[in-house]
Each structure stands twice: as structure tokens, then as C-alpha cells.
């Protein structure tokens, strides 16, 4: 643990002009010295906050739900009572920036529609708060770059809500794939469900940034990269939308398939809002099939190798993800799912859309933003 030297370093380097972000970081450190949990403010109290993140924050060891940001007045009292949130820790989208003066908030967790992620990350960074931003990080790579720059300038840590990096079953698949335990592999991965309600923000491009690729396909994209532990060299994509009248009128895809070529194999991925629920990672290896299906849900994941069933129990993915981030702040370590990973994925998503709109023209990927160590597992 390196907290004391870090506090000393922070005080020494900031001199008389302590920035808000430094004060927040200092507070985080002092809090951890006292074994105090870091406070998280959830921004946006929709499905994911209500059903996954808030309940998980009752199970975390290093952070807790200290504040909420909501535009719906009726939710305030309900959440305050259920999670014991102080009145002064309830914000709306207008007075959100006042969190700068609130020491109960160390981390802002942005759980809003995709196109709002960039604005709220910038505002949170300006208030000197560390940020977890839900996937997809933003609706363009350009916005991702602005978010990274803002967090770097404010000296706060930015990470993305890629919960499956904290799931032991997905972790085991990474280990088997990256280390070629069953020999060379080719990957198939997909995530889809049915969604055709036009009132949902996921079907409104100004809020979603795109169709199922932004929302669900991003999991298959991630899986392909973490199964190989490599970056793709090229890709091609095909818009496979069935109900073109409905989806193309909204300027989004209803279904999409793409193939990526990696240094050591290929990945065939698909996503949809036009079929019933599917989600899987299949690695066809020299020794047989390595499979995780379902692969991307919160629990109930099922894995098997050519040698039989994988026996790993479900965990609370979100609790582990948020605790890991709290420890990044406390111990001054890097997030394993940083903003740079979100940027990389948005860069690839833009290439996938470009290839699909050019009639599946293959795209070389020679300038992928990559400052990450892709190999999560040791040989
Ligand atoms: P949701 O629609 O249930 O909730 C969105 C929240 O944003 C609501 O509270 C809504 O009131 C608020 N909001 C503020 N301004 C809005 C506007 N202009 N239009 C619509 N809503 C507005 O959505 P969700 O499923 O909770 O998704 C939120 C984010 O979380 C998305 O980025 C999504 O990709 C992500 N998510 C991640 C996971 C995961 O497993 N990591 C799972 C679900 C959702």
C-alpha cells in the first residue's frame, strides 16, 4: 500500500494552489487512511442504476452510494429512504456542478443515455471527481479523446463500466484464449435482443449514437479482443438489417455482422435488435470448442472447454468493478478498463460503421489508439 507517500507527494507537488481535483484526491486518500469508503454519485437513475449498480453498492467494501443525480423529482425521496442518502447529496442535471463542494462524493458514475456521457464526464472532471462512465464511452472517438484530456487535466481517473473484466468466467476464457491452451483459435461472438419500441432512447440516434452495435455489439468486439489479447489488423462489416423500413428510417442498423482479422486468428461477430436474446463467445480451437453461452449477462453464465464444463461460480460483477476502481483511487494505480480502452472501442465501432456503409469494404486498421497492455493473463 502506498497511500502515505502518495499523500506526501500530492501535498509537495501542489504547493499553495491545491486544485479541486487534488483536494478530492487528497480527501480520498485521507478517507482510506481512516478505512472510510469512497462515496459514489450515480448520475441517471434508470434501469441499470436501479437494478444493478445501487443494489451492488450495498455489497461493496471500498465505496458506497453517497449521492444521486436525477431529473425526476419523485425518485428523490424513494432513493433517499432506500439508500439512506442525505438531502444535501441529491442533485439534478442543472445543479450537478455544485458537487465540486461536496466531500461526500469521490466518484461520479455516469449511467445516462450514450450521447450524454461526454458532457457529464467533462462536468465531473471539472468538479475534481473521479469518473466511471458507462459503455459505450461516448458516441464518437473524438468525444472520447476530449473526455480523456479533461480527466488528465483535472488529475482524476477515468474508467469505463466494462464489468466483464471483473467476471471470473470471462477472465478464465481470456486466460485460455490468450495463452492458446487448446491451440490456435478463431472466435465467434454475438450479442442481441429484440427492441422495436420507438419511444426508447436506444432507438433514437441523437441519444444512442447508433443501433445495437453501440449497445450490445460492443461486448462481442471486446470479447474478440480479450480472447486473443491482440488488436485486429483489419475488418469488414455488413449491415444485415431485416426491417430496413423501420431501422433505416431512424438512421440506425437493426442488425450487423463484422469480421476482424487478428495476428493469430479471425473473429466473426454479430449484433441485433431484431432477434430474441442471444449472447455467446465460441472459440474454435485445434482441440475442440471453447464456449461461454450465455457470456455477457450479469449471472447464469455457462462455460465449457474441450475437456468439459467450467465450474466457476457467479460473482457480483458490478460490486467487484466498483471496488476495483475505488482501490485504483486509494492506491493511486491505473484502471484496468480506462478511458483509453473506451476510445479504442469507439475507434473500431466507427470503422465497423464505415465498412458497413461502403458495402462491406475491408478496412485496414493501422492507427488504432493503443496504449494498453492487452494481455491480462500470464503465460
Ligand atoms: P435507462 O433508460 O433505463 O436510464 C437512463 C436514465 O437517464 C433514466 O433515469 C433517464 O431518466 C435519464 N435521462 C436523462 N436525460 C435523458 C434523456 N434526454 N433521455 C432519456 N433518458 C434520460 O437506460 P439504462 O439501461 O440504465 O442505460 C444507461 C446507460 O448505462 C447506457 O449508456 C447503457 O449503455 C449503460 N448500460 C450498461 C450496462 C452494463 O451492463 N454495463 C447495462 C445497462 C445499461
Amino acid at each position: 500500500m502506498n497511500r502515505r507517500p502518495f499523500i506526501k507527494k500530492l501535498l509537495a507537488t501542489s504547493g499553495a494552489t491545491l486544485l479541486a481535483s487534488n483536494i478530492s484526491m487528497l480527501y480520498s486518500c485521507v478517507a482510506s487512511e481512516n478505512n472510510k469508503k469512497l462515496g459514489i454519485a450515480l448520475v441517471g437513475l434508470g434501469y441499470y442504476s436501479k437494478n444493478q449498480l445501487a443494489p451492488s453498492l450495498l455489497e461493496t467494501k471500498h465505496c458506497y452510494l453517497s449521492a444521486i443525480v436525477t431529473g425526476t423529482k419523485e425518485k428523490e425521496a424513494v432513493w433517499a429512504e432506500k439508500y439512506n442518502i442525505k438531502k444535501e447529496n441529491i442533485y439534478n442535471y442543472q445543479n450537478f456542478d455544485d458537487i465540486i463542494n461536496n466531500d461526500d462524493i469521490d466518484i461520479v458514475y455516469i449511467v445516462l443515455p450514450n450521447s450524454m456521457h461526454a458532457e457529464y464526464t467533462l462536468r465531473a472532471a471539472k468538479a475534481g471527481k473521479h469518473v466511471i462512465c458507462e459503455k459505450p464511452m461516448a458516441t464518437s472517438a473524438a468525444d472520447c479523446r476530449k473526455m480523456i484530456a479533461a480527466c488528465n487535466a483535472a488529475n482524476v481517473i477515468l474508467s469505463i463500466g466494462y464489468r466483464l473484466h471483473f467476471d471470473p468466467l470471462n477472465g478464465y476464457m481470456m486466460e485460455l484464449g490468450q495463452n492458446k491452451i487448446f491451440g490456435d483459435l478463431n472466435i465467434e461472438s454475438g450479442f442481441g435482443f429484440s427492441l422495436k419500441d420507438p419511444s426508447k432512447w436506444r432507438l433514437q440516434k441523437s441519444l444512442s449514437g447508433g443501433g445495437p452495435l453501440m449497445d450490445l455489439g460492443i461486448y462481442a468486439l471486446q470479447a474478440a479482443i480479450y480472447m486473443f489479447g491482440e488488436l485486429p489488423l483489419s475488418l469488414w462489416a455488413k449491415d444485415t438489417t431485416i426491417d430496413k423500413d423501420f431501422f433505416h428510417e431512424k438512421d440506425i442498423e437493426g442488425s450487423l455482422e463484422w469480421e476482424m482479422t487478428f495476428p493469430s486468428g479471425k473473429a466473426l461477430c454479430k449484433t441485433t435488435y431484431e432477434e430474441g436474446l442471444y449472447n455467446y463467445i465460441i472459440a474454435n480451437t485445434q482441440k475442440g470448442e471453447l464456449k461461454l453461452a450465455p457470456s455477457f449477462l450479469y449471472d447464469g453464465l455457462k462455460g465449457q472447454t474441450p475437456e468439459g464444463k467450467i465450474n466457476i461460480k457467479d460473482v457480483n460483477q458490478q460490486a467487484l468493478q466498483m471496488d476495483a476502481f475505488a482501490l485504483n483511487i486509494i492506491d493511486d494505480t491505473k484502471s484496468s478498463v480506462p478511458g483509453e480502452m473506451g476510445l479504442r472501442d469507439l475507434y473500431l465501432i466507427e470503422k465497423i460503421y464505415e465498412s458497413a456503409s461502403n458495402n462491406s469494404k475491408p478496412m485496414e486498421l493501422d492507427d488504432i489508439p493503443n496504449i494498453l497492455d492487452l494481455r491480462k493473463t500470464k503465460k
Side-chain angles (χ1 to χ4, degrees):
M1 294 296 228
N2 56 358
R3 289 169 206 163
R4 281 184 192 283
F6 177 60
I7 295 171
K8 269 195 198 156
K9 196 174 97 195
L10 189 63
L11 285 170
T13 51
S14 27
T17 52
L18 269 178
L19 296 168
S21 57
N22 286 345
I23 294 170
S24 160
M25 205 173 287
L26 183 60
Y27 176 80
S28 304
C29 294
V30 172
S32 76
E33 285 285 289
N34 299 331
N35 285 330
K36 213 179 143 212
K37 292 179 171 186
L38 301 190
I40 292 194
L42 286 178
V43 186
L45 306 181
Y47 162 80
Y48 194 52
S49 284
K50 182 175 174 215
N51 298 308
Q52 298 300 328
L53 297 175
S56 296
L57 279 163
L58 296 173
E59 292 185 29
T60 40
K61 292 195 195 94
H62 305 288
C63 50
Y64 74 107
L65 181 59
S66 63
I68 50 174
V69 182
T70 177
T72 314
K73 202 83 194 134
E74 306 82 70
K75 289 183 186 170
E76 293 183 3
V78 178
W79 278 68
E81 195 188 330
K82 187 163 183 187
Y83 292 102
N84 197 21
I85 294 164
K86 294 184 211 161
K87 205 164 173 234
E88 60 270 30
N89 290 359
I90 299 174
Y91 294 85
N92 56 46
Y93 300 116
Q94 287 71 44
N95 68 11
F96 171 71
D97 308 276
D98 295 346
I99 62 169
I100 192 170
N101 298 316
N102 192 329
D103 287 346
D104 287 345
I105 301 172
D106 302 285
I107 299 164
V108 168
Y109 197 147
I110 298 158
V111 206
L112 292 165
N114 307 340
S115 68
M116 300 172 76
H117 293 179
E119 177 193 338
Y120 281 84
T121 297
L122 264 53
R123 287 169 73 178
K126 206 168 169 201
K129 307 298 179 184
H130 301 284
V131 181
I132 309 177
C133 177
E134 257 316 316
K135 46 58 60 176
M137 178 171 168
T139 51
S140 70
D143 274 355
C144 293
R145 289 183 199 279
K146 284 184 202 151
M147 293 156 79
I148 292 169
C151 289
N152 285 343
N155 202 16
V156 296
I157 310 179
L158 169 62
S159 84
I160 310 303
Y162 287 138
R163 59 186 162 79
L164 294 171
H165 288 252
F166 305 89
D167 169 64
L169 250 168
N170 274 272
Y172 188 51
M173 292 288 282
M174 292 176 202
E175 199 179 314
L176 297 177
Q178 291 179 14
N179 296 318
K180 308 270 189 299
I181 299 299
F182 297 102
D184 286 338
L185 39 133
N186 287 308
I187 304 292
E188 290 170 48
S189 185
F191 195 179
F193 56 55
S194 295
L195 184 66
K196 239 178 162 179
D197 175 352
S199 71
K200 302 285 183 198
W201 64 260
R202 284 179 165 81
L203 295 181
Q204 296 163 23
K205 193 170 183 185
S206 59
L207 288 166
S208 61
L213 175 60
M214 282 277 178
D215 190 26
L216 307 174
I218 191 168
Y219 287 90
L221 174 67
Q222 276 259 316
I225 295 172
Y226 63 61
M227 287 300 289
F228 284 116
E230 296 170 351
L231 287 175
L233 302 169
S234 64
L235 64 79
W236 66 259
K238 191 170 164 42
D239 186 328
T240 51
T241 303
I242 301 162
D243 191 343
K244 294 192 173 61
D245 288 346
F246 180 83
F247 286 100
H248 288 179
E249 188 263 324
K250 303 192 170 342
D251 196 22
I252 60 173
E253 77 284 4
S255 303
L256 192 79
E257 292 184 16
W258 72 102
E259 186 182 86
M260 294 183 284
T261 302
F262 289 80
S264 67
K266 282 189 189 293
L268 188 59
C269 301
K270 60 186 250 185
T271 188
T272 190
Y273 277 158
E274 299 184 278
E275 280 179 58
L277 179 68
Y278 65 70
N279 60 104
Y280 58 85
I281 305 172
I282 298 170
N284 296 302
T285 76
Q286 287 164 331
K287 294 189 180 147
E289 198 175 77
L290 182 60
K291 185 172 175 180
L292 191 58
S295 49
F296 304 134
L297 305 184
Y298 308 130
D299 49 35
L301 309 191
K302 288 192 175 61
Q304 68 177 64
T305 75
E307 287 166 356
K309 191 171 165 242
I310 304 174
N311 285 310
I312 296 180
K313 287 205 178 90
D314 286 333
V315 294
N316 184 327
Q317 300 164 358
Q318 290 85 357
L320 291 177
Q321 173 212 323
M322 291 186 281
D323 263 343
F325 187 61
L327 285 174
N328 288 143
I329 296 164
I330 291 165
D331 295 335
D332 190 28
T333 52
K334 285 196 163 59
S335 164
S336 60
V337 286
E340 285 78 4
M341 186 179 274
L343 163 63
R344 176 200 74 194
D345 293 347
L346 257 296
Y347 165 94
L348 288 167
I349 284 173
E350 288 180 348
K351 293 287 181 191
I352 291 169
Y353 280 136
E354 200 179 325
S355 170
S357 68
N358 288 338
N359 284 326
S360 318
K361 200 170 151 223
M363 315 266 320
E364 296 299 319
L365 303 167
D366 39 26
D367 56 351
I368 303 180
N370 179 36
I371 60 159
L372 301 166
D373 178 10
L374 289 170
R375 292 186 58 87
K376 300 248 169 209
T377 59
K378 291 189 196 86
K379 264 206 199 268

